[in-house]
Amino acid sequence: MEPCSLRDLHECWCPGECSAAPPKQIDLTQLPITPWTARVQFYVVILASVFISICVYGALSRADYVSKVQLLDNQENVHVARR
């Protein structure tokens, strides 16, 4: 028994008579692909940058708050330790 084609692993019952099926022709004009225009790409880039900016602003403002709290805790610890 020999394999019928590289795509499937079925084996033929009649050796010598099996052959791979011819490849199907694909009509690329009939595919449901919507091209992204420059305007859509521009809007996507703008929205992505706004979203990333909001996330970065939130993370940095939270980091600033946490660093201020840590600084005050350290000042209090130093003050208590000097007494």
Side-chain angles (χ1 to χ4, degrees), residues 6-72:
L6 297 175
R7 292 185 183 161
D8 55 354
L9 299 176
H10 302 292
E11 293 184 350
C12 296
W13 294 103
C14 304
E17 294 183 9
C18 290
S19 63
K24 295 180 180 178
Q25 296 294 330
I26 298 175
D27 187 12
L28 297 177
T29 60
Q30 300 299 322
L31 292 177
I33 298 174
T34 56
W36 284 43
T37 61
R39 178 180 288 172
V40 172
Q41 291 176 6
F42 179 72
Y43 289 146
V44 167
V45 168
I46 293 296
L47 287 175
S49 63
V50 166
F51 176 74
I52 290 171
S53 298
I54 290 171
C55 291
V56 167
Y57 176 76
L60 290 178
S61 64
R62 180 68 181 162
D64 184 47
Y65 172 75
V66 169
S67 67
K68 285 180 184 177
V69 169
Q70 286 178 351
L71 226 107
L72 289 174

